[in-house]
Amino acid sequence: MEVVICKTYEDVSRAAAQVVAETLNEKPDAVLGLATGSTPLGLYKELIRMHTEEGLDFSHVTTFNLDEYVGLPHDHPQSYYYFMWENLFKHINVPVENIHVPSGTANNYKAFCQWYEDQIDEYGGIDLQVLGIGSDGHIAFNEPSSSLMSRTRLKTLTEQTINDNARFFDKKEDVPVYSITMGVGTILDAERLILLANGEGKADAVVAAIEGPVSSMITASALQLHPDSIFFLDEPAAGKLQMRDYYDWIQKKKPGAPGT
Ligand code: PGA
């Protein structure tokens, strides 16, 4: 696990975009796992800039999103499909048929979830998965007590998540109670994971995920089990880390870093 502490949110976004760009340079037909929420907005803005100004090409890329609210169709302004379309997909050249976001309106959710897992397999698995972290330590909608081996499934949101996400809706009662989410096990199968976090509100979840025990109570702590995961944090999100000096030391001593 690598911990990269950046000065600002913009630096977090740029550093994460660099990893996405490197992945696409190495493998133009990479499979990207994508996340919604406030956190990755800066990353998506930077990817759009790289596409527009530097020709970063998404024409062979396939995407799989982490989760979706149950009950919201693609064209609902609070659906995650709509979010992805407005904030990334419509601005880049990823073919629409290569985009996968879990359906919030499937007739048979169990069958849909199995199909989603099978689709990921069919495309050869996810090369790079982008993650945020909830204030309750969740990744995707894997709320506390989710099995660390869980697969894509229907999941009931915690009240904390509903409260956190109410800011996107007219009123709290409008936030769906159920979601379809990739499982922790699904996420851990990706080749590489990058988790972005910014702001003081994430500091407790971040320290629990990085320095606490691996626990289903903080599903982001499962990243400790992954051989290639990077946390990109801004200063406030990193504010409670005990081993801060060591993470900075590692970055300074990295081969190629100035002074090494
Ligand atoms: P946020 O959500 O980026 O809107 O803070 C993160 C999450 O819940 O995973």
Side-chain angles (χ1 to χ4, degrees):
M1 200 156 76
E2 194 177 338
V3 180
V4 180
I5 300 157
C6 305
K7 276 208 171 63
T8 65
Y9 171 66
E10 288 70 30
D11 296 330
V12 167
S13 302
R14 272 192 292 269
Q18 207 50 49
V19 176
V20 175
E22 278 163 20
T23 304
L24 298 191
N25 287 338
E26 267 171 41
K27 190 176 174 189
D29 62 347
V31 179
L32 298 180
L34 298 175
T36 51
S38 310
T39 308
L41 281 173
L43 160 65
Y44 296 155
K45 234 171 118 185
E46 180 61 7
L47 290 177
I48 294 165
R49 190 199 64 74
M50 287 170 131
H51 169 68
T52 318
E53 293 176 14
E54 296 165 12
L56 184 64
D57 182 25
F58 294 84
S59 64
H60 300 289
V61 165
T62 300
T63 68
F64 284 91
N65 261 80
L66 288 169
D67 45 16
E68 178 60 283
Y69 289 117
V70 166
L72 304 193
H74 280 179
D75 57 357
H76 190 288
Q78 268 74 44
S79 78
Y80 284 170
Y81 190 97
Y82 190 92
F83 174 100
M84 290 306 300
W85 186 258
E86 289 300 313
N87 292 299
L88 180 65
F89 296 147
K90 79 173 184 188
H91 305 284
I92 58 173
N93 64 336
V94 62
V96 67
E97 62 274 17
N98 291 7
I99 293 170
H100 303 83
V101 180
S103 171
T105 55
N107 286 326
N108 179 339
Y109 282 111
K110 222 172 160 191
F112 175 81
C113 292
Q114 188 55 55
W115 177 84
Y116 202 71
E117 289 274 335
D118 293 344
Q119 282 290 294
I120 295 172
D121 281 349
E122 216 159 283
Y123 281 91
I126 292 170
D127 294 295
L128 177 69
Q129 176 68 59
V130 176
L131 297 164
I133 184 169
S135 63
D136 64 359
H138 71 204
I139 43 174
F141 275 137
N142 292 289
E143 300 287 38
S145 80
S146 292
S147 161
L148 300 185
M149 294 181 75
S150 50
R151 311 301 305 186
T152 304
R153 68 208 184 291
L154 190 138
K155 189 77 197 163
T156 308
L157 305 185
T158 60
E159 198 158 6
Q160 189 173 341
T161 297
I162 290 172
N163 288 335
D164 284 349
N165 292 2
R167 69 189 192 278
F168 298 112
F169 292 80
D170 287 340
K171 50 187 192 306
K172 185 180 153 186
E173 292 67 40
D174 293 343
V175 184
V177 173
Y178 302 107
S179 67
I180 299 293
T181 181
M182 279 189 206
V184 181
T186 319
I187 292 167
L188 291 180
D189 281 349
E191 274 294 306
R192 186 171 223 201
L193 307 175
I194 54 174
L195 187 149
L196 286 58
N198 64 288
E200 208 183 335
K202 299 294 173 68
D204 285 319
V206 162
V207 69
I210 296 174
E211 297 178 343
V214 174
S215 163
S216 63
M217 293 308 287
I218 301 283
T219 51
S221 67
L223 269 66
Q224 295 177 29
L225 303 170
H226 195 280
D228 188 358
S229 63
I230 313 173
F231 281 74
F232 289 107
L233 310 172
D234 73 352
E235 288 287 350
K240 295 196 172 167
L241 291 171
Q242 299 291 309
M243 298 285 286
R244 166 71 195 259
D245 290 348
Y246 180 54
Y247 309 133
D248 289 343
W249 168 257
I250 292 172
Q251 292 306 314
K252 268 198 225 119
K253 293 290 168 197
K254 255 176 124 169
T260 54

